[in-house]
Amino acid sequence: MAAEWLTLAVRTLHVLAGATLLGGAVALAAVAARSTDAGGVVSAARAYEWTFWAAVGVAVATGVGNLGALGDALPSTGTGWGNALALKLALVLALLVGSLARSFLVVRAAAPDAAARPAGAARALAVAYAATAAVLATVVAAAVGLAHWGWS
Amino acid sequence: MTAPDRLLVWAAASFHAALIVAGLVTYLHAQDAAGAVFGDFGTGTGFAVYVYLWVLSTWSARRVLHDATVTPDGFLPAAWELLGRAAAWGAAAGALFVAGAGAALAIAAGMWQALFFVLTFPVVAGGIAGALVGAALGAVDVGIFALAHRLLPPSSGPSTP
């Protein structure tokens, strides 16, 4: 019984982390695209980046926990489920690499040296967060498929 | 020692920990071994190992990036200096990871003789592996920073963010 509650807690944390990542990216993409206050966009982006990387840590740790709960029952790469998991993992790796580049853009946009700040940073951040949201939405779609569809 | 941009350190450290674990999971899944390997880990043990890896990543990233500065030309320190630091502090983090995780597992299992073994050859091996992983992650960081700089070059004059 305790193991079932632990599994439920791990899955809940995984979903909450995913919701935080996707919801924040969508909100920032919308705000950055519409706002005329570039300084406000950069401040909001910096705050989100702290949350983003914390949520990434939670999502990865709980994701491994979910796989561990399946143990030897984890489907192999030769199955539809296994291929969907491989696709999700590849998207996660791409998301991580792209997100470090996005975080670096945010740090540059907030650079104290005015000459180091890129022009049009707010527009670039809007594109970066839209791309992040698109990849995250695909990851979530794959996760929903893994959880609820009986691929074999 | 100047204070580094804390967000830069947090992002790089979290990226390293997540990339190491996600990369390992991807590799093990490709070998159809992920379920067997992670199924043997208890949930609490797995979380503790991840948090320990995250803490060590933050500790080493803070030292590698201690004087990191965004400039109009890109990023300081220079790439080769950053790679050297990443290898050195990666070696320290790798040795500490093996020592800490190995010692905790040996103590939890009541295997005190194994504790002596863990703190010798495996720590050296962990240091060597950590140097290689640190250098590789440093190269990835440098490449990503260069890509971001190329995609969005700085303005030629004063600008608004």
Side-chain angles (χ1 to χ4, degrees):
Chain A
M1 191 65 181
E4 291 176 3
W5 279 106
L6 186 60
T7 300
L8 179 64
V10 169
R11 288 189 176 181
T12 302
L13 276 175
H14 195 67
V15 171
L16 285 175
T20 302
L21 293 168
L22 180 57
V26 169
L28 264 169
V31 167
R34 295 178 176 215
S35 176
T36 55
D37 177 13
V41 170
V42 173
S43 294
R46 274 189 73 92
Y48 172 69
E49 292 299 323
W50 282 94
T51 309
F52 176 89
W53 287 108
V56 161
V58 172
V60 171
T62 52
V64 174
N66 285 336
L67 294 181
L70 289 173
D72 290 330
L74 187 73
S76 70
T77 49
T79 65
W81 199 96
N83 288 333
L85 177 61
L87 172 66
K88 183 187 174 189
L89 290 170
L91 286 169
V92 168
L93 292 175
L95 175 73
L96 291 174
V97 171
S99 292
L100 186 62
R102 188 198 62 238
S103 293
F104 186 57
L105 287 180
V106 173
V107 170
R108 281 184 58 202
D113 180 359
R117 292 180 206 150
R123 177 173 165 73
L125 290 179
V127 173
Y129 284 113
T132 301
V135 175
L136 276 166
T138 311
V139 171
V140 168
V144 170
L146 289 168
H148 297 289
W149 298 339
W151 283 321
S152 59
Chain B
M1 178 183 288
T2 58
D5 187 302
R6 292 173 60 207
L7 175 59
L8 190 65
V9 172
W10 174 243
S14 303
F15 168 73
H16 295 158
L19 190 70
I20 288 170
V21 173
L24 179 65
V25 171
T26 303
Y27 172 76
L28 289 174
H29 180 57
Q31 306 299 315
D32 287 332
V37 170
F38 294 114
D40 289 340
F41 262 72
T43 303
T45 305
F47 280 137
V49 169
Y50 190 86
V51 168
Y52 186 47
L53 176 64
W54 205 349
V55 168
L56 286 176
S57 295
T58 305
W59 173 75
S60 54
R62 186 169 175 79
R63 273 141 189 84
V64 171
L65 298 170
H66 70 85
D67 59 353
T69 307
V70 179
T71 73
D73 297 326
F75 190 75
L76 289 175
W80 285 112
E81 187 177 346
L82 200 70
L83 289 180
R85 289 185 199 173
W89 287 104
L96 283 172
F97 180 79
V98 171
L105 291 174
I107 291 171
M111 301 169 65
W112 296 96
Q113 291 168 323
L115 180 62
F116 176 75
F117 172 73
V118 164
L119 295 177
T120 53
F121 299 111
V123 169
V124 174
I128 294 170
L132 295 173
V133 172
L137 289 174
V140 170
D141 292 351
V142 168
I144 291 173
F145 293 161
L147 176 66
H149 183 72
R150 180 162 293 204
L151 288 174
L152 191 64
S155 57
S156 55
S159 67
T160 55

